[in-house]
């Protein structure tokens, strides 16, 4: 059974750097084809894909946020970390991590519960 | 970027109704489309992938169809637990993009 759980600060000040951690179980990021993505959802709004990292360290980013995002993995800890620099109140959202494969079933088949991050001074 | 447009943005229906939600892609995405259900304060849950494949554990009243640019999600007989917001998502190419959502409410 795949499970994912996001963790990080609930409140961040504008211009600061946000660091979120996704801790997962039920799969390994050293397994061929496995990936973990970050997706966010501002209150009352739609989902937005942010970044994705694969087992081979291939990384993909949303072009609109690429300059501010960094995704990394710690395979030994079963964790994926997302950092977002220079946050703004518009970055207030629930942040989700999700499991994905790079071949076969390519959708986000398992999601974490999400973590709400508020950006405010 | 591939834009995903859902319609309607919201609808009201009764238990037992047949419900259809449409998703249109701004360019051909073949069958690389998924549908998700999201209930208030909960994470999205995968329903359909590759346009028409039912995710394991999802009731058979949910079905998907389409290819190219036009897709539909159908709930054959709406149940009380189906009142939620539904999102489509394309994975034909990066950046991965979602539709704006369709909220299904109780009539």
């Amino acid at each position: 059974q795949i499970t994912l759980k996001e963790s990080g600060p609930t409140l961040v000040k504008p211009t600061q750097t946000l660091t979120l951690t996704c801790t997962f179980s039920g799969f390994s990021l050293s397994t061929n084809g496995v990936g973990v993505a970050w997706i966010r959802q501002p209150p009352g709004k739609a989902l937005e894909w942010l970044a994705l990292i694969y087992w081979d360290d291939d990384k993909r980013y949303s072009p609109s946020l690429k300059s501010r995002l960094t995704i990394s993995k710690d395979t030994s800890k079963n964790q994926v970390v997302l950092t977002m620099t220079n946050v703004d109140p518009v970055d207030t959202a629930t942040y989700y991590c999700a499991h994905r494969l790079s071949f076969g079933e390519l959708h986000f088949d398992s999601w974490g519960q999400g973590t709400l991050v508020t950006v405010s001074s | 970027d591939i834009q995903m447009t859902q319609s309607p943005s919201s609808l009201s229906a009764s238990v037992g109704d047949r419900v259809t939600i449409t998703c249109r892609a701004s360019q051909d995405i073949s069958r690389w489309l998924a549908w998700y259900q999201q209930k208030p304060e909960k994470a999205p849950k995968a329903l359909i992938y590759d346009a028409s494949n039912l995710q394991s554990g999802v009731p058979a009243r949910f079905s998907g169809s389409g290819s190219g640019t036009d897709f539909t999600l159908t709930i054959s007989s709406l149940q009380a637990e189906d009142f939620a917001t539904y999102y489509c998502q394309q994975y034909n190419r990066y950046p991965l993009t979602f539709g704006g959502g369709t909220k299904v409410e109780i009539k």
Side-chain angles (χ1 to χ4, degrees), chain A residues 39 41 45-49 52 54 58 60-63 96 100 104-109 111-114, chain B residues 1 32 34 36 38 41-46 48-50 55 87 89 91 94-101:
Chain A
I39 299 136
Q41 185 174 38
K45 297 189 177 181
L47 300 160
E48 178 185 20
W49 171 71
L52 206 159
Y54 289 107
D58 182 22
R60 306 284 178 153
Y61 294 99
S62 169
Y96 297 99
R100 184 189 196 236
E105 299 174 10
L106 301 176
H107 63 302
F108 300 120
D109 58 2
W111 296 62
Q113 63 188 26
Chain B
D1 298 6
W32 302 122
Y36 302 90
Q38 187 179 34
E41 309 306 318
K42 297 293 186 182
K45 170 190 168 185
I48 301 284
Y49 64 95
D50 294 355
Q55 180 74 22
Y87 293 94
Q89 179 236 332
Y91 42 91
Y94 295 102
L96 309 177
T97 49
F98 291 87

Side-chain angles (χ1 to χ4, degrees), chain B residues 74-91:
Chain B
T74 299
I75 309 172
S76 60
S77 178
L78 196 67
Q79 300 301 299
E81 61 266 31
D82 301 336
F83 291 95
T85 300
Y86 294 84
Y87 293 94
C88 61
Q89 179 236 332
Q90 68 81 20
Y91 42 91

